[in-house]
Amino acid sequence: MAWTKYQLFLAGLMLTTGSINTLSAKWADMFNAKGCQEEPERPFSHPFLQAVGMFLGEFCCLAAFYILICHDKRRPEPRVNRGQSFNPFLFFPPAMCDMTATSIMYVALNMTSASSFQMLRGAVIIFTGLLSVAFLGRRLAPNQWIGIFITILGLVIVGLADFISGNKDSSHKLSDVITGDLLIIMAQIIVSVQMVLEEKFVYTHDVHPLRAVGTEGFFGFFVLSLLLIPMYFIPVGNFANNPRHVLEDALDAFCQIGHQPLILLALLGNTVSIAFFNFAGISVTKEISATTRMVLDSLRTLVIWVVSLALGWEHFHGLQVLGFLVLLVGTALYNGLHRPLLARIPCCARFANEEEGGSGERERLLNDGQVQTGDNS
């Protein structure tokens, strides 16, 4: 069945805003500006402040939810399911996981390329699959196990591509690239814990997805904003790229923004894009399918890589293309995107139908609007 204009708009919005989210964060990292002291220009390196901006974007989803409810009240027959009452603090543990993982990933984005950053985030299916077996008692289908092993192979290829390019690329030191890649993979372990917590404790309640994203954004925004105060006094040596060598110097960040206003544009792009990306992702799941959302999220990696090449932010590496394709195959197998192809082959149709039935619970959760908050989708 052909897509409607509204469905095409939603798909385009999700792909565009998802790509802008990563690209704008990387763009901010690439600026050089003076700080609060009289000193030469240096890179804008404030990952925790960037994470605060990202959570502000998620927090905006809560405002969008209440605007949607107010608009729905004016209709003769309300259509929006407001969900049942719940304890907001159910969202606190996954929000803290989201906050930690997002902060780590923004630190890593300073050390590696935007395309590798996006590709390596595919590691989340490995840890989510394993944790769902251990803590949710779920049995993974054979295609999911195969998808996990292929994803591991893809991660090795992407890591090898970064290792080779790190010796030739002057924009990032080899040690920084390796550290950044490892931090991204470590962050995916935390993201997988977040997803398991959401599924076990949060999504057993009837909560509207925009309200879920906004509530986690609320906790992440206020907790991380408060943590900026002790971070201003915690020395970390050469790990921090600010004059005082502390974990985060928010005042220095504002001074750099004052000297280079385009940094503010990049930060606003990150904040606004994550809000629209979450809205578009939820709407695509509802209006089209969860499978379409997975495909669009994979295409987002391709868009980020192509734009980074076009802007000269990174160089072409054939091994990275291979790694992306292998990761794409692993993700497709894990999420069951091969089933429609098998269904067209007479001898495999029965196997595809049985496999689809076995993974019905996972598809139901996705179609009920389960979302990854932050840019972890």
Side-chain angles (χ1 to χ4, degrees):
M1 186 176 67
W3 285 6
T4 64
K5 291 182 179 179
Y6 180 60
Q7 289 173 332
L8 286 171
F9 166 75
L10 289 175
L13 183 65
M14 179 183 170
L15 185 60
T16 303
T17 54
S19 302
I20 289 173
N21 185 256
T22 298
L23 292 170
S24 60
K26 187 62 180 179
W27 187 34
D29 293 340
M30 298 182 72
F31 279 109
N32 290 299
K34 292 182 179 180
C36 298
Q37 304 172 5
E38 291 297 329
E39 56 187 8
E41 292 185 348
R42 51 187 170 71
F44 182 83
S45 179
H46 298 280
F48 296 98
L49 186 68
Q50 285 180 283
V52 169
M54 192 277 296
F55 282 112
L56 178 60
E58 285 189 7
F59 188 16
C60 290
C61 290
L62 196 59
F65 168 74
Y66 286 111
I67 291 172
L68 186 66
I69 292 297
C70 290
H71 178 72
D72 191 59
K73 284 181 179 178
R74 299 177 182 177
R75 293 177 175 174
E77 295 182 5
R79 300 177 183 176
V80 178
N81 178 19
R82 303 180 192 180
Q84 65 191 63
S85 60
F86 65 96
N87 184 355
F89 283 96
L90 279 174
F91 289 88
F92 188 77
M96 294 303 96
C97 291
D98 191 9
M99 182 190 74
T100 305
T102 300
S103 300
I104 292 173
M105 284 191 284
Y106 277 134
V107 170
L109 189 57
N110 277 288
M111 301 178 174
T112 190
S113 65
S115 60
S116 294
F117 169 83
Q118 194 66 35
M119 291 180 194
L120 290 171
R121 290 171 66 177
V124 69
I125 68 172
I126 299 171
F127 305 113
T128 303
L130 296 177
L131 288 177
S132 67
V133 171
F135 296 102
L136 299 178
R138 180 166 299 160
R139 293 181 61 185
L140 297 182
N143 65 287
Q144 291 177 308
W145 284 112
I146 296 172
I148 286 175
F149 286 117
I150 292 178
T151 299
I152 293 173
L153 177 61
L155 293 173
V156 172
I157 295 173
V158 172
L160 184 60
D162 281 349
F163 180 80
I164 295 173
S165 63
N167 289 316
K168 303 176 182 178
D169 193 355
S170 58
S171 60
H172 296 101
K173 296 179 182 178
L174 178 59
S175 58
D176 286 346
V177 170
I178 294 173
T179 303
D181 288 355
L182 292 175
L183 284 174
I184 295 168
I185 294 174
M186 183 176 74
Q188 302 320 299
I189 301 175
I190 302 172
V191 171
S192 64
V193 172
Q194 173 196 343
M195 294 178 70
V196 169
L197 286 173
E198 287 174 345
E199 185 170 332
K200 189 172 181 65
F201 299 110
V202 175
Y203 290 105
T204 53
H205 296 72
D206 183 18
V207 182
H208 192 281
L210 276 178
R211 194 177 185 183
V213 173
T215 305
E216 289 192 15
F218 167 81
F219 286 122
F221 175 74
F222 283 101
V223 171
L224 192 54
S225 295
L226 291 174
L227 287 176
L228 290 179
I229 298 173
M231 287 180 183
Y232 185 78
F233 301 99
I234 299 175
V236 292
N238 292 328
F239 182 77
N241 191 16
N242 57 67
R244 299 177 57 249
H245 297 290
V246 292
L247 190 56
E248 180 61 282
D249 192 338
L251 294 180
D252 181 67
F254 291 126
C255 288
Q256 286 191 289
I257 292 170
H259 286 109
Q260 178 52 273
L262 284 177
I263 298 176
L264 180 61
L265 180 62
L267 297 178
L268 286 175
N270 187 38
T271 299
V272 174
S273 63
I274 193 63
F276 280 98
F277 175 68
N278 277 304
F279 165 77
I282 293 166
S283 300
V284 165
T285 302
K286 180 181 178 183
E287 297 290 336
I288 310 175
S289 69
T291 301
T292 303
R293 185 177 180 179
M294 297 171 201
V295 172
L296 290 172
D297 202 48
S298 297
L299 288 176
R300 180 164 65 119
T301 304
L302 181 62
V303 171
I304 291 168
W305 180 61
V306 170
V307 172
S308 297
L309 288 175
L311 295 175
W313 291 359
E314 53 187 277
H315 303 291
F316 178 84
H317 300 287
L319 201 58
Q320 196 176 43
V321 179
L322 177 61
F324 170 71
L325 293 175
V326 173
L327 285 171
L328 195 62
V329 170
T331 302
L333 281 172
Y334 184 86
N335 290 303
L337 301 187
H338 63 291
R339 284 197 292 268
L341 297 176
L342 287 178
R344 295 182 179 182
I345 304 173
C347 62
C348 300
R350 182 179 177 183
F351 172 76
N353 291 332
E354 290 176 354
E355 192 179 58
E356 184 172 5
S359 60
E361 182 184 357
R362 180 176 56 84
E363 290 295 330
R364 178 186 61 78
L365 285 166
L366 287 168
N367 283 299
D368 281 348
Q370 183 173 354
V371 292
Q372 276 182 280
T373 55
D375 187 29
N376 301 322
S377 55

